[in-house]
């Protein structure tokens, strides 16, 4: 195919074109996430908007579980994540946050990452996660922002894009390290502090923590080359439709309730992590209870006609 030709994407835009802000409404977005603070492009605003978004917009995969790749068009993101009592996963969440941060005056570069939690090597996983590199006017340090990882392993607030620093925000501890690899660019890894290593999972480059049984565990790895919209579209399609993707087989939902308080749903299994780090777990009884919990605890109205659990019989 000639270089000048383009192919239509599943969301109606053309492959190769940059996702613009048409259809994005900054006022409605900020109102939707409950942010009433400053709109200056500074660190306080970046932290505040990041935390407000994380609390307001749940993580979920109901589109891909229902058989469709979610749209990343700004108008569709507004309709679903801001106005629609729905959530989304990283390609939706961080695209929406990037639109907001650019509208506020920040410089944002999207990054592609390999989820390393539970992996034997970095190279064994494709780039199926998207995060953001954010620059603040007048601040020489860039920041890693990410509202789309879902779990407690993701950052509650942006963290400086630098090694050798530990960030403690909202009951979470994170740091960035460099991992060895064969490529020409430095390989960064986001690590989260796990106080119960038996439940946290393992990742390449994990190191012991401060106490026996604790450790720093790698969540995902990335380089700083830009992850263009067309790259994100391919990864979005893969995650939402590939038969090996867990997102096509069962529903997932995550919600950050407050500092240290987190909800996680895997099919019918509900896990609640409390601020004191105690954990309660139970299996939901049936489809009716699952829909009620999604509504009342996660703020998600599941699509009508979508069977969330297998029908017995």
């Amino acid at each position: 195919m000639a270089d000048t030709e383009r192919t239509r994407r599943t969301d109606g835009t053309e492959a190769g074109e940059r996702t613009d802000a048409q259809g994005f409404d900054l006022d409605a977005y900020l109102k939707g996430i409950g942010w009433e603070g400053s709109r200056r492009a500074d660190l306080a605003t970046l932290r505040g908007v990041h935390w407000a978004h994380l609390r307001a917009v749940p993580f979920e995969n109901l589109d891909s579980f229902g058989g469709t790749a979610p749209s990343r068009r700004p108008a569709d993101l507004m309709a679903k994540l801001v106005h629609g009592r729905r959530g989304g996963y990283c390609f939706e969440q961080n695209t929406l946050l990037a639109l907001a941060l650019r509208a506020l005056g920040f410089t944002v570069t999207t990054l592609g990452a390999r989820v390393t939690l539970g992996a034997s090597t970095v190279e064994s996983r494709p780039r199926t996660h998207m995060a953001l590199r954010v620059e603040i006017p007048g601040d020489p340090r860039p920041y890693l922002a990410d509202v789309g990882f879902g779990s407690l392993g993701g950052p509650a607030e942006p963290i400086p894009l630098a090694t050798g620093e530990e960030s403690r925000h909202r009951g979470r501890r994170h740091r960035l390290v460099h991992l060895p690899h064969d490529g020409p660019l430095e390989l960064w890894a986001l690590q989260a502090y796990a106080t119960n290593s038996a439940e946290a999972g393992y990742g390449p480059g994990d190191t012991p923590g401060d106490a026996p049984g604790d450790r720093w565990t790698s969540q995902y790895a990335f380089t700083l080359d830009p992850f263009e919209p067309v790259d994100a579209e391919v990864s979005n399609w893969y995650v939402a439709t590939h038969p090996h993707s867990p997102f096509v087989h069962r529903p997932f939902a995550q919600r950050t309730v407050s500092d240290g308080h987190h909800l996680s749903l895997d099919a019918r299994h509900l896990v609640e992590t409390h601020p004191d780090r105690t954990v309660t777990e139970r299996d939901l009884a049936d489809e009716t209870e699952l829909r009620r919990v999604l509504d009342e605890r996660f703020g998600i109205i599941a699509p009508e006609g979508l069977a969330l659990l297998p029908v017995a019989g």
Side-chain angles (χ1 to χ4, degrees):
M1 182 167 59
D3 324 45
T4 54
E5 293 182 25
R6 295 182 177 223
T7 57
R8 301 302 294 180
R9 303 198 308 192
T10 56
D11 63 5
T13 57
E14 290 182 339
E17 69 178 297
R18 180 175 295 276
T19 303
D20 60 28
Q22 185 175 0
F24 176 74
D25 184 333
L26 179 63
D27 291 336
Y29 167 81
L30 295 177
K31 181 179 179 181
I33 66 171
W35 176 249
E36 298 178 346
S38 168
R39 297 191 181 192
R40 292 188 298 271
D42 57 20
L43 181 56
T45 300
L46 177 60
R47 285 175 171 166
V49 169
H50 192 285
W51 175 240
H53 181 125
L54 194 66
R55 288 192 61 190
V57 186
F59 177 100
E60 52 109 324
N61 72 319
L62 297 184
D63 282 356
S64 56
F65 177 66
T68 62
S71 170
R72 295 174 51 253
R73 297 181 70 178
D76 294 335
L77 294 174
M78 290 293 299
K80 181 184 176 187
L81 276 65
V82 176
H83 300 301
R85 292 208 66 200
R86 288 286 306 278
Y89 57 22
C90 66
F91 298 110
E92 303 166 272
Q93 299 257 15
N94 284 324
T95 297
L96 183 62
L97 179 62
L99 288 165
L101 295 179
R102 288 173 180 138
L104 288 167
F106 297 93
T107 299
V108 181
T109 303
T110 51
L111 305 173
R114 305 179 191 275
V115 177
T116 53
L117 191 64
S120 57
T121 65
V122 173
E123 297 78 13
S124 66
R125 296 280 179 84
R127 289 187 175 96
T128 56
H129 182 60
M130 189 175 85
L132 306 176
R133 180 184 185 272
V134 182
E135 297 176 63
I136 302 171
D139 188 334
R141 299 189 305 174
Y143 289 80
L144 177 72
D146 184 2
V147 293
F149 198 60
S151 74
L152 282 167
E157 297 185 6
I159 62 176
L161 193 59
T163 59
E165 297 185 36
E166 180 182 333
S167 295
R168 299 193 182 202
H169 297 133
R170 312 287 181 176
R172 306 183 190 186
R173 296 171 62 181
H174 287 90
R175 70 181 187 183
L176 289 165
V177 299
H178 287 147
L179 297 181
H181 78 133
D182 293 333
L185 301 177
E186 288 180 322
L187 182 66
W188 298 75
L190 175 72
Q191 294 189 330
Y193 193 85
T195 56
N196 189 336
S197 61
E199 297 180 0
Y202 291 84
D206 287 5
T207 56
D210 304 331
D214 294 359
R215 73 176 187 279
W216 289 97
T217 183
S218 298
Q219 306 296 301
Y220 56 81
F222 59 95
T223 58
L224 297 182
D225 51 320
F227 194 62
E228 300 293 352
V230 69
D231 301 320
E233 192 66 20
V234 171
S235 294
N236 180 42
W237 178 260
Y238 175 91
V239 169
T241 64
H242 196 280
H244 290 168
S245 171
F247 284 177
V248 307
H249 297 293
R250 60 190 188 275
F252 291 95
Q254 307 251 3
R255 183 188 172 198
T256 296
V257 182
S258 61
D259 293 8
H261 191 185
H262 186 264
L263 299 171
S264 175
L265 182 71
D266 182 343
R268 68 169 73 235
H269 191 63
L270 178 66
V271 178
E272 184 166 4
T273 302
H274 302 275
D276 63 359
R277 287 295 178 174
T278 59
V279 176
T280 56
E281 303 181 52
R282 68 185 180 95
D283 286 334
L284 305 181
D286 52 26
E287 178 99 10
T288 299
E289 186 181 21
L290 177 52
R291 284 182 173 271
R292 179 177 58 78
V293 167
L294 283 172
D295 181 4
E296 297 177 358
R297 303 298 308 280
F298 289 86
I300 297 169
I301 300 295
E304 291 294 331
L306 176 63
L308 299 175
L309 294 175
V311 178

